[in-house]
Amino acid sequence: MPKHQPPNAHRSTNQNQGHAPETVVRLVVPPRPHDQPNQPTTLLGRLQSCKPKMNKDNLLLLLTVMGVVAGIVLGSLLRFANLDSTAIHLIQYPGELLMRMLKMMVLPLIISSLISGLAQLDAKESGKMGSWALLYYFSTTMIAAIIGIIMVLTIQPGANSDRPTIAKGEEKEVSTLDAILDLIRNVFPDNLVQACFRNDETVYKHVPNPNYDASINGSMATMRVRSLVLKDGMNVLGLITFSIGFGIILGAMGPEGQVMTNFFFVLNEIIMRLVKLVIWYSPIGIMCLISGKILEVANIADTARMLGMYMVTVLCGLAVHAIIVLPGIYFLVTRKNPWTFFRGMLQAWVMALGTASSAATLPITFRCLEENNGIDKRVTRFVLPVGATVNMDGTALYEAVAAIFIAQLNRMELTIGQVITVSLTATAASIGAASVPSAGLVTMLLVLTSVGLPTSDVTYIIAVDWLL
């Protein structure tokens, strides 16, 4: 039997009298790069060939970045015009339209992506992926809260700062137990349609005490009663729970459920094509949003003087988490260059900067991961909707810093136990925070209550909440 020959070889055999067959192997040498046609030979030509092409994706990213820069410049210049509230509202109006268009896509996108993604996986794959995703979400959120605590205890932005001269709001009664129960209660909504625009919240009301007796010392005319009310806002946790269960059961049905699987798959594709149209409007919307926010700040100089170190502390913590921790985790798990992956996410990052909403950024994140980074759609459709609701690293870091900053303003020394309580409560509160702008201010009350700080002091940081 003849031996196996290299693929790039030509064999010729000559039969000579009285000799064994002779084999001649001729190796075909591939042409060198400079010998190939249509290749530049000069240094200038090679440099020009390395220049990125201006395709639609690069053009959109460039326009979005220009929108951010233009918004900052325009807002700074218009401050000298002393515009009234009506003019500022009109400047923000195009940005408001962008937010409304993006939020319009969130509900059908969450439901269709989760159901279509899980229907294409078996129960074992779904369980494994979900376990790793939740482990990652909770771990990074806790790490973010710890980074925030380390930063605020090291820099101590409130130790040498004067208390801002801002009118305090009224105290609001917040119970940690009720917040946890509300979180679990919203995971299982009693009305799926109502969950699309309402969620449950526990409040306390003062009602007349039927047993009040003025002749008895200590008898109170009113009494506190726990009451469950509906507040505006999408119950994303409940919708995610229903969609996960629906998708897993649909996948287990096999061919019987293929029609329904195709329906949600097509619905998801339709929403993503609508997103592609909306994002071309995003540079204008982001510019108007940023300009309006800058114009709304009453006095930038006073705000920077009173809350400058607080802003530096939060931004340093976010930088450590985004530049060191998350890329480090990505490299340790995949052994790949994290910056190559993050470059494909630039469009989503700029959108998040302009809209300050993970829910509004969710459609753009889908597009970046699937088209720019080539992630399997079955993975993105399950991981992203859950992550946009549960994985609030920035909120956890921000709330931990804010709570200890307010304690420093009140000249209150926190014990080790209270610091640990802040980290745990900030992590839990961030999970329950809505993925909308300034949602962290609501859950901030829970963190302040856990360590006995006045909830009215949250008004000190409202002026810079939109930026952080």
Side-chain angles (χ1 to χ4, degrees):
M1 295 292 292
K3 295 183 179 180
H4 177 69
Q5 298 297 329
N8 293 331
H10 299 285
R11 174 177 300 174
S12 63
T13 305
N14 296 326
Q15 296 287 345
N16 296 326
Q17 185 178 5
H19 295 280
E22 181 182 359
T23 301
V24 179
V25 178
R26 297 185 180 93
L27 296 178
V28 178
V29 180
R32 289 178 294 179
H34 65 268
D35 294 333
Q36 295 179 359
N38 301 326
Q39 290 291 331
T41 57
T42 63
L43 178 60
L44 180 60
R46 292 180 181 179
L47 290 176
Q48 290 178 346
S49 66
C50 297
K51 188 168 57 177
K53 297 181 180 179
M54 185 55 69
N55 53 25
K56 288 185 177 180
D57 293 335
N58 292 335
L59 177 61
L60 179 60
L61 178 60
L62 178 61
L63 291 175
T64 308
V65 174
M66 290 174 61
V68 173
V69 176
I72 296 173
V73 174
L74 183 62
S76 302
L77 293 177
L78 289 178
R79 288 187 63 86
F80 295 102
N82 295 323
L83 301 177
D84 57 10
S85 58
T86 303
I88 296 176
H89 174 72
L90 291 176
I91 292 174
Q92 287 182 315
Y93 187 70
E96 179 187 346
L97 295 181
L98 173 65
M99 293 291 292
R100 295 174 72 91
M101 286 188 286
L102 290 174
K103 289 180 180 179
M104 176 179 62
M105 309 288 182
V106 171
L107 177 60
L109 185 60
I110 288 177
I111 295 176
S112 62
S113 63
L114 275 173
I115 293 177
S116 61
L118 290 173
Q120 300 176 64
L121 299 171
D122 57 33
K124 184 177 180 180
E125 290 177 336
S126 302
K128 184 178 180 180
M129 187 189 304
S131 300
W132 281 109
L134 292 177
L135 176 63
Y136 171 79
Y137 292 153
F138 294 144
S139 300
T140 55
T141 304
M142 177 63 73
I143 291 173
I146 293 173
I147 290 174
I149 291 174
I150 294 174
M151 285 292 176
V152 73
L153 292 178
T154 302
I155 300 176
Q156 295 191 348
N160 299 319
S161 300
D162 297 329
R163 292 171 66 91
T165 55
I166 301 174
K168 282 191 175 185
E170 61 179 38
E171 293 282 344
K172 183 177 179 180
E173 299 178 7
V174 181
S175 169
T176 304
L177 176 61
D178 289 330
I180 296 175
L181 294 178
D182 286 342
L183 179 64
I184 300 174
R185 185 181 291 116
N186 284 318
V187 171
F188 305 101
D190 57 350
N191 189 322
L192 190 63
V193 176
Q194 186 174 267
C196 296
F197 54 90
R198 295 277 180 85
N199 53 63
D200 296 317
E201 182 182 25
T202 300
V203 297
Y204 287 91
K205 299 179 180 179
H206 291 272
V207 298
N209 187 357
N211 300 321
Y212 172 68
D213 189 349
S215 62
I216 301 177
N217 292 332
S219 180
M220 303 295 293
T222 60
M223 57 184 296
R224 291 173 68 244
V225 177
R226 181 186 286 108
S227 176
L228 192 64
V229 298
L230 293 172
K231 67 175 184 178
D232 292 335
M234 189 190 306
N235 182 4
V236 181
L237 285 175
L239 294 175
I240 286 177
T241 303
F242 173 81
S243 300
I244 289 176
F246 193 100
I248 292 175
I249 298 299
L250 184 61
M253 293 179 64
E256 295 180 0
Q258 190 61 43
V259 174
M260 187 64 70
T261 301
N262 293 339
F263 168 78
F264 284 106
F265 181 84
V266 173
L267 176 61
N268 184 264
E269 292 298 320
I270 292 173
I271 298 300
M272 293 305 300
R273 294 192 183 190
L274 288 174
V275 169
K276 290 181 180 180
L277 298 177
V278 171
I279 58 175
W280 284 101
Y281 174 72
S282 61
I284 299 175
I286 290 175
M287 179 186 69
C288 296
L289 283 174
I290 294 178
S291 299
K293 289 297 183 181
I294 293 176
L295 292 172
E296 283 182 342
V297 179
N299 193 316
I300 292 182
D302 289 346
T303 302
R305 178 177 55 83
M306 294 182 297
L307 300 173
M309 290 306 298
Y310 165 72
M311 295 169 62
V312 169
T313 303
V314 175
L315 293 175
C316 287
L318 293 174
V320 170
H321 190 68
I323 298 176
I324 299 177
V325 175
L326 296 182
I329 294 175
Y330 179 87
F331 177 76
L332 290 176
V333 173
T334 65
R335 298 295 178 181
K336 296 180 180 179
N337 185 359
W339 305 114
T340 303
F341 180 84
F342 290 165
R343 187 169 62 244
M345 299 298 298
L346 282 177
Q347 179 71 39
W349 285 1
V350 176
M351 181 67 70
L353 175 63
T355 61
S357 171
S358 57
T361 313
L362 182 60
I364 314 300
T365 309
F366 270 104
R367 182 175 179 272
C368 290
L369 283 176
E370 294 175 0
E371 297 184 9
N372 297 348
N373 291 330
I375 305 300
D376 193 335
K377 291 183 178 181
R378 294 175 299 174
V379 176
T380 59
R381 290 172 183 177
F382 174 69
V383 172
L384 286 184
V386 179
T389 306
V390 176
N391 192 213
M392 300 285 189
D393 294 356
T395 301
L397 188 149
Y398 166 76
E399 292 183 350
V401 172
I404 299 179
F405 170 72
I406 291 175
Q408 293 172 354
L409 287 179
N410 287 278
R411 305 298 185 258
M412 175 181 173
E413 294 289 338
L414 298 180
T415 63
I416 297 296
Q418 288 176 316
V419 171
I420 295 175
T421 301
V422 168
S423 65
L424 295 176
T425 311
T427 302
S430 66
I431 295 173
S435 49
V436 296
S438 299
L441 286 177
V442 180
T443 55
M444 175 70 66
L445 304 177
L446 177 62
V447 182
L448 296 178
T449 304
S450 66
V451 290
L453 291 169
T455 57
S456 59
D457 285 359
V458 75
T459 55
Y460 293 152
I461 60 176
I462 288 179
V464 295
D465 176 76
W466 66 274
L467 177 62
L468 302 178

